[in-house]
Amino acid sequence: MFAGPRGGLAAVSTALLAMSRRLEVRDVLRTIVVSARELLDAEYAALGVPDDHGGFAQFVVDGITEEQWRRIGPLPRQHGILAAMLHQDGPERLADVREDPRFEGWPAAHPEMSDFLGQPVRDGEETLGALFLANKRRPGGFTEEDEELLALLAQHAAIALTNARLYERSRELTIAEERSRLAHELHDAVAQKLFSLRLTAQAAAALVDRDPARAKGELQQIAALAAQAADELRAAVTELRPAALDEDGLVATLRDQVHVLDRAHTAHVTFTCDGVRALPATQEEALLRVAQEALHNALRHSGGDRVEVTLARRAAGAVLTVTDNGSGFSPSSIRAAGRHLGLVSMRDRASGAGGRLTVHSEPGTGTTIEMEVPGG
């Protein structure tokens, strides 16, 4: 049916799959534009997403260098052919766009364009954007088959773009919910500890001169309350899903965090990855949180001078291991409340992601935390 420069139906299938796999709106727009330009063998391609003020909220181009784009200037307004494509139902194919009565010119740095093919991208009655192609590389300009192919791309582009928008909105809602939850936790837990700190500090100040022994006891209580507040604040903050995990993935995020910890602590912290590339989002977040908690415990409680983090492929899933050469402990009789809560949290995260957590430790032998997930 379609015999484009990249091999007909196989090229079309590759392009459609590439669109459907993107989650960020900007990535979807870029993939659509690049796919359209390559499949239809055009010199230039663009996709404009309109705003409500007569301009474009986003305008993605392919075939123009960054320097050319910088010289062209601000984003175009909705005018001429660009505006027409946003308000009509079907494609527009022109032998020379410059001869169309709706053509209103372009900036001095804009490349010269002649043959033109445009197609609105619509979801029902809503216009999501418009695709523009110019300068067919082969003689004769754009064809009727090119129109059909661009219409097909536009249909799938509408689906991919709608899905990406829904994904971004769900992320925004999640962030808002996380902020609300964090605010409640800060108020309910940390704020109460800070209030207790304030009262205890006032009591200690009043006792310094007339009862130094009692004042010393109050100061020790202040130190304990401060440690508890710090732990609860850290626990609340680490509940937030880091942006780096969405942008860079688990492996890169773990590598970066281990690098930072290695520089910040006297203990040598290392990270090794063997065969793991990507996992389902829920599992990646759980693995990251367990790694963070295990690293915190190792660096704060173990007293060791080496902590090793490994992430390795196991069957269809992966296994995370955090090992230190510190003092170790008996898992059946944990005295440190912070460490006990950390282990409970890690087990909850592991089970919530369909995985399991194993703790290997004895006094004097160091500690190994292992979390295994089955994969997608």
Side-chain angles (χ1 to χ4, degrees), residues 47-48 82-92 117-123 126-132 150-155 157-158:
L47 196 160
L82 300 186
M85 294 312 308
L86 294 171
H87 296 98
Q88 65 185 55
D89 294 329
E92 183 78 54
L117 180 61
Q119 170 74 44
V121 178
R122 308 190 69 177
D123 178 21
E126 181 186 4
T127 299
L128 304 179
L131 269 166
F132 312 99
L150 190 60
L152 176 65
L153 286 177
Q155 291 173 16

Side-chain angles (χ1 to χ4, degrees), residues 170-256:
S170 70
R171 283 187 59 192
E172 290 171 4
L173 288 174
T174 300
I175 292 170
E177 290 169 358
E178 287 288 293
R179 285 176 176 168
S180 176
R181 183 198 57 76
L182 180 59
H184 283 295
E185 289 200 12
L186 289 174
H187 180 270
D188 295 342
V190 181
Q192 293 178 13
K193 288 291 187 300
L194 293 177
F195 180 69
S196 298
L197 270 172
R198 179 183 172 190
L199 294 180
T200 308
Q202 290 173 346
L207 291 169
V208 165
D209 293 328
R210 58 187 174 85
D211 195 341
R214 284 184 61 192
K216 182 178 180 180
E218 295 293 334
L219 289 173
Q220 290 173 342
Q221 179 66 12
I222 289 173
L225 285 169
Q228 292 173 19
D231 284 343
E232 291 182 1
L233 179 60
R234 176 182 58 81
V237 171
T238 55
E239 285 295 320
L240 295 174
R241 179 177 174 88
L245 192 59
D246 290 322
E247 296 169 2
D248 304 325
L250 175 64
V251 175
T253 302
L254 267 178
R255 183 179 291 114
D256 290 345

Side-chain angles (χ1 to χ4, degrees), residues 52-361:
D52 297 326
H53 309 289
F56 287 92
Q58 291 169 299
F59 201 88
V60 181
V61 299
D62 191 44
I64 295 176
T65 67
E66 289 187 9
E67 176 59 25
Q68 284 177 303
W69 187 244
R70 186 190 64 79
R71 291 202 308 268
I72 289 171
L75 286 178
R77 303 292 295 172
Q78 295 179 27
H79 66 90
I81 296 294
L82 300 186
M85 294 312 308
L86 294 171
H87 296 98
Q88 65 185 55
D89 294 329
E92 183 78 54
R93 180 159 51 102
L94 302 170
D96 192 333
V97 67
R98 296 165 297 185
E99 296 179 1
D100 189 275
R102 295 165 295 180
F103 178 68
E104 298 179 5
W106 42 53
H110 198 283
E112 284 296 316
M113 297 179 179
S114 55
D115 46 317
F116 170 92
L117 180 61
Q119 170 74 44
V121 178
R122 308 190 69 177
D123 178 21
E125 296 299 317
E126 181 186 4
T127 299
L128 304 179
L131 269 166
F132 312 99
L133 297 169
N135 294 16
K136 181 83 170 180
R137 294 183 192 276
R138 286 177 290 177
F142 295 105
T143 65
E144 187 175 343
E145 280 194 348
D146 290 332
E147 278 190 28
E148 295 176 16
L149 177 53
L150 190 60
L152 176 65
L153 286 177
Q155 291 173 16
H156 286 269
I159 296 170
L161 190 52
T162 300
N163 288 340
R165 284 180 168 181
L166 290 173
Y167 170 76
E168 290 196 351
R169 286 170 189 165
S170 70
R171 283 187 59 192
E172 290 171 4
L173 288 174
T174 300
I175 292 170
E177 290 169 358
E178 287 288 293
R179 285 176 176 168
S180 176
R181 183 198 57 76
L182 180 59
H184 283 295
E185 289 200 12
L186 289 174
H187 180 270
D188 295 342
V190 181
Q192 293 178 13
K193 288 291 187 300
L194 293 177
F195 180 69
S196 298
L197 270 172
R198 179 183 172 190
L199 294 180
T200 308
Q202 290 173 346
L207 291 169
V208 165
D209 293 328
R210 58 187 174 85
D211 195 341
R214 284 184 61 192
K216 182 178 180 180
E218 295 293 334
L219 289 173
Q220 290 173 342
Q221 179 66 12
I222 289 173
L225 285 169
Q228 292 173 19
D231 284 343
E232 291 182 1
L233 179 60
R234 176 182 58 81
V237 171
T238 55
E239 285 295 320
L240 295 174
R241 179 177 174 88
L245 192 59
D246 290 322
E247 296 169 2
D248 304 325
L250 175 64
V251 175
T253 302
L254 267 178
R255 183 179 291 114
D256 290 345
Q257 294 196 7
V258 165
H259 179 66
V260 170
L261 291 173
D262 183 51
R263 296 181 62 182
H265 293 267
T266 55
H268 185 40
V269 189
T270 62
F271 173 69
T272 305
C273 179
D274 181 16
V276 177
R277 292 189 177 182
L279 293 163
T282 301
Q283 294 183 357
E284 288 205 344
E285 183 172 357
L287 285 165
L288 176 62
R289 294 311 187 196
V290 167
Q292 289 174 327
E293 184 65 39
L295 281 165
H296 171 79
N297 287 340
L299 293 169
R300 181 173 181 180
H301 300 296
S302 77
D305 62 4
R306 188 177 72 253
V307 184
E308 298 174 355
V309 181
T310 62
L311 185 65
R313 187 174 182 83
R314 180 173 292 180
V319 58
L320 167 78
T321 307
V322 181
T323 303
D324 68 67
N325 65 343
S327 57
F329 63 94
S330 175
S332 61
S333 59
I334 301 172
R335 294 183 180 274
R339 174 171 284 189
H340 172 70
L341 291 174
L343 289 174
V344 171
S345 172
M346 287 190 285
R347 286 196 173 97
D348 287 346
R349 287 194 178 279
S351 62
R356 62 185 179 88
L357 188 88
T358 308
V359 180
H360 305 280
S361 186

